[in-house]
Amino acid sequence: MRRVDAWVWWLIAAVGLGIPLVLTAMPEFGMFAVGAAAGSVTAALGGGIVAQTLVFVGVSVALLLVVRPLVARSRARGPAHRSGVDALTGRQAIVLERVDGRGGRVKLAGEVWSARSLDDDAAFEVGDRVDVVEIDGATAVVMG
């Protein structure tokens, strides 16, 4: 029976760690997979098991310490630029036709929109400025 080289086992480990990365979208598995690939390179270059393990642990920990905070910061920041109807939420509109809980019309971002008030009892008259709370389909939901 033929003996399998250590670098092959490290590559198998890298692929094995890559599978949960794809299935769970957890970047930590990818960092461990890169560490295993680095262990494989160390083995292919003739490094012993201690060197291979140290390279695996070192690369994995370094990636965890550097990449995870960058990813967390990027996720916390959110999108830099909102577009489409998302960009309309929070903007002001001018009432063109009386707006109440049943409907009305406003001018929003240069366009005429159907609108209704957030509170069914609230009503806004022509010329009033209102804030857009959300976009519900093709209707701007507003409040005073």
Side-chain angles (χ1 to χ4, degrees):
M1 180 180 261
R2 186 167 176 245
R3 186 174 157 268
V4 178
D5 291 333
W7 68 270
V8 174
W9 288 113
W10 281 109
L11 280 183
I12 292 170
V15 171
L17 288 165
I19 292 170
L21 167 68
V22 173
L23 295 176
T24 65
M26 291 180 60
E28 292 82 1
F29 284 111
M31 295 173 209
F32 290 131
V34 171
S40 175
V41 170
T42 304
L45 293 175
I49 188 68
V50 173
Q52 296 167 30
T53 305
L54 288 175
V55 167
F56 166 72
V57 171
V59 169
S60 298
V61 169
L63 286 172
L64 286 170
L65 292 176
V66 172
V67 176
R68 277 186 84 202
L70 294 175
V71 170
R73 195 174 317 132
S74 175
R75 284 183 182 165
R77 197 175 308 140
H81 181 69
R82 296 187 309 167
S83 62
V85 293
D86 292 333
L88 300 175
T89 302
R91 299 209 30 199
Q92 279 199 335
I94 298 175
V95 176
L96 299 177
E97 181 182 302
R98 185 175 197 269
V99 175
D100 56 26
R102 292 180 308 235
R105 297 224 179 267
V106 296
K107 186 166 191 170
L108 171 62
E111 297 178 342
V112 177
W113 280 74
S114 297
R116 67 177 165 79
S117 62
L118 178 64
D119 181 6
D120 287 338
D121 297 331
F124 307 101
E125 301 301 328
V126 174
D128 286 350
R129 289 190 177 274
V130 291
D131 296 319
V132 177
V133 177
E134 69 176 306
I135 301 294
D136 182 17
T139 302
V141 180
V142 300
M143 62 184 248

